[in-house]
Amino acid sequence: MTETETNAYDVVVLGAGPVGENVADRTRAAGLTTAVVESELVGGECSYWACMPSKALLRPVIARADARRVPGLRHSVQGPLDASAVLAHRDYYTSHWKDDGQVGWLESVGADLYRGHGRLTGPRTVTVTGPGGGERVLTARHAVAVCTGSRAALPGLPGLDAVKPWTSREATSSGTVPGRLIVIGGGVVATEMATAWQALGSQVTLLVRGKGLLPRMEPFAGELIAEALTEAGADVRTGTSVESVTRENGTVVAVTGAGESIEADEILFATGRAPRTDDIGLETIGLDPGSWLPVDDSLRVTGHEWLYAVGDVNHRALLTHQGKYQARIAGAAIAARATGETSLVEPWGAHAATADHAAVPQVVFTDPEAAAVGLSLAEAEQAGHRVKAVDVDLSTVAGAGLYADGYQGRARMVVDLENEILRGVTLVGPGVGELIHAATIAVAGQVPVSRLWHAVPSYPTVSEVWLRLLEAYRDA
């Protein structure tokens, strides 16, 4: 490869995580030549430092918790988890941080992979600096898709770099269990990692600046999870800020706003995400480096008809499954525009990521699990909808009692009173993650409540909560 070699493609994709892979899959399926540029591992954050390793860590934790609630089994699972086996299981699901399998898949769809750092160097042009320093210029006839994702955002505390704090990457890839772990934050990463490491043997202190956990969900979700974490032995403190962090002789010391010092072996900051757009050449096309990229519903960047921003970088819904959904939409939109087909960009059209606004599902893999889709009650009211919230105690459902002794959980559906469709559903309780897709179909499909009466849940399953919710709405 020479330093000035140029290759032309129909589409150039920056980033080979799940989002970039799905864009490439869709554009290749449409017959468009596609190049994919990746500076780290093909498969991205989700495969190696987020979704897969975190869920591999959490699955034994949840399975043990479920087993302890089952008569005849609970006495067999009272001992500690085998941390070494759990970490080895995690390593297996990250392919030991090797991407051979993902590279093979990318090759199988006919996309060309360029390893190295890719930067925009003008409209429809990406320059790739390879591991050896050589450069190659890639030009795109139709589209460049920025799929570079996001990274952990650290606060501006003096001396934080010297402390070598954990971010989500270290929390999901650590090869050892810290004796004491401070977790800063109250969102998904904070609650999941507090759950995992407490169960694996760490003494976890969870420091939350706000009033509760999971602030983007219904308030009862965070309340139930905070209660469970406390029962498991974690120290959960809300309304607590961290003013300074130091490390001396291996020990981390965090000083709170109240002046209290807390010691630990490691400290995890799970305090938000920032876009990976600081060094991809945005300035060469009139955009601000390090910024989120605003897009329309076809994922095209505002003011740039050839540029697409898909996944975390557009800040619409920072979830892998939502990014993959966007990638399918964007890939179809790119293909349609490249071939002169009509763009179907009306809501719920083939080239519109409408679900980003109306039907985003999410599961938090804590114990208990929390799952939600669509709008919370507060969000629906803020959006101007005339709505009613209907709540059901999940323990009243026969299937829940069979699932676990002492089952605790809650369900809520938010009903739009104008047209009697669901604006949102939230479920909290053991195993509810497997229930959320039914709610997603109801919300995305705008299924009328009158028709939901004819969707009969099997008895005795936890899904009977749907019948209880509909009855509560009817009787209200």
Side-chain angles (χ1 to χ4, degrees):
M1 181 178 75
T2 66
E3 294 188 0
T4 58
E5 187 173 347
T6 299
N7 294 86
Y9 290 88
D10 293 323
V11 180
V12 176
V13 179
L14 272 179
V19 175
E21 289 177 326
N22 273 266
V23 171
D25 184 41
R26 291 298 84 210
T27 56
R28 285 297 302 129
L32 302 180
T33 58
T34 302
V36 180
V37 182
E38 177 54 56
S39 61
E40 292 187 291
L41 296 176
V42 175
E45 199 80 11
C46 175
S47 298
Y48 306 103
W49 300 286
C51 317
M52 295 306 290
S54 65
K55 282 25 172 209
L57 289 173
L58 285 159
R59 178 58 193 148
V61 176
I62 303 305
R64 182 181 66 167
D66 282 346
R68 285 178 170 178
R69 300 184 184 106
V70 178
L73 184 57
R74 62 170 58 96
H75 297 298
S76 301
V77 288
Q78 289 303 312
L81 289 169
D82 183 340
S84 296
V86 173
L87 297 180
H89 176 68
R90 183 269 321 271
D91 294 351
Y92 171 79
Y93 271 95
T94 60
S95 300
H96 299 274
W97 290 276
K98 296 179 181 178
D99 64 1
D100 297 8
Q102 301 269 15
V103 171
W105 178 87
L106 200 58
E107 292 173 345
S108 75
V109 302
D112 290 345
L113 172 63
Y114 292 85
R115 290 196 183 271
H117 182 69
R119 300 184 83 255
L120 289 158
T121 47
R124 294 185 173 86
T125 305
V126 173
T127 298
V128 183
T129 303
E135 291 187 347
R136 179 172 291 187
V137 176
L138 308 178
T139 60
R141 300 182 188 93
H142 299 294
V144 173
V146 177
C147 308
T148 48
S150 65
R151 57 176 173 78
L154 290 171
L157 293 175
L160 186 59
D161 287 347
V163 175
K164 296 183 179 179
W166 278 9
T167 66
S168 54
R169 283 199 170 193
E170 289 77 20
T172 56
S173 63
S174 176
T176 58
V177 179
R180 300 163 299 172
L181 174 65
I182 298 171
V183 179
I184 311 296
V188 176
V189 172
T191 54
E192 288 190 345
M193 291 298 94
T195 299
W197 290 108
Q198 178 69 36
L200 286 168
S202 295
Q203 175 54 57
V204 171
T205 302
L206 181 59
L207 305 180
V208 187
R209 180 184 291 272
K211 295 185 293 185
L213 305 181
L214 303 178
R216 295 185 179 181
M217 285 189 169
E218 300 284 8
F220 63 81
E223 292 166 5
L224 288 169
I225 290 170
E227 290 173 7
L229 279 168
T230 301
E231 185 178 344
D235 182 2
V236 180
R237 308 185 193 185
T238 57
T240 303
S241 63
V242 175
E243 301 301 320
S244 68
V245 180
T246 56
R247 186 189 289 269
E248 296 181 11
N249 300 319
T251 298
V252 174
V253 180
V255 179
T256 70
E260 182 181 5
S261 295
I262 304 171
E263 295 187 352
D265 301 290
E266 299 292 350
I267 185 167
L268 161 63
F269 280 86
T271 50
R273 307 289 295 178
R276 289 181 177 273
T277 60
D278 51 310
D279 189 24
I280 61 169
L282 292 183
E283 69 279 3
T284 68
I285 56 170
L287 296 173
D288 294 330
S291 64
W292 302 102
L293 298 176
V295 295
D296 62 20
D297 272 3
S298 69
L299 293 312
R300 187 160 55 178
V301 175
T302 304
H304 295 75
E305 64 177 14
W306 55 272
L307 184 65
Y308 292 73
V310 194
D312 282 11
V313 289
N314 60 42
H315 208 232
R316 286 164 68 103
L318 277 65
L319 296 160
T320 296
H321 50 269
Q322 212 66 24
K324 291 165 69 175
Y325 159 73
Q326 292 177 12
R328 296 190 293 271
I329 298 293
I334 291 168
R337 288 164 178 156
T339 57
E341 296 178 14
T342 301
S343 295
L344 303 175
V345 295
E346 70 282 357
W348 305 111
H351 308 135
T354 311
D356 285 349
H357 311 297
V360 175
Q362 182 174 21
V363 178
V364 185
F365 292 84
T366 47
D367 176 37
E369 291 178 348
V373 63
L375 305 178
S376 67
L377 174 61
E379 289 170 337
E381 290 175 338
Q382 290 167 5
H385 301 297
R386 190 167 68 90
V387 293
K388 179 180 180 60
V390 180
D391 291 350
V392 166
D393 182 343
L394 266 169
S395 68
T396 64
V397 178
L402 291 169
Y403 188 97
D405 274 4
Y407 190 107
Q408 290 185 319
R410 186 172 171 185
R412 168 175 288 180
M413 68 178 188
V414 178
V415 183
D416 188 316
L417 297 175
E418 297 292 338
N419 46 28
E420 290 207 315
I421 61 171
L422 304 188
R423 290 291 178 183
V425 176
T426 300
L427 303 159
V428 182
V432 298
E434 296 301 334
L435 303 180
I436 199 61
H437 193 58
T440 303
I441 293 169
V443 173
Q446 299 181 336
V447 182
V449 170
S450 59
R451 180 57 63 88
L452 287 174
W453 275 105
H454 299 282
V456 182
S458 299
Y459 182 85
T461 67
V462 185
S463 291
E464 245 197 329
V465 67
W466 281 101
L467 178 56
R468 302 285 90 86
L469 285 165
L470 292 168
E471 289 172 338
Y473 176 67
R474 176 197 62 192
D475 296 340

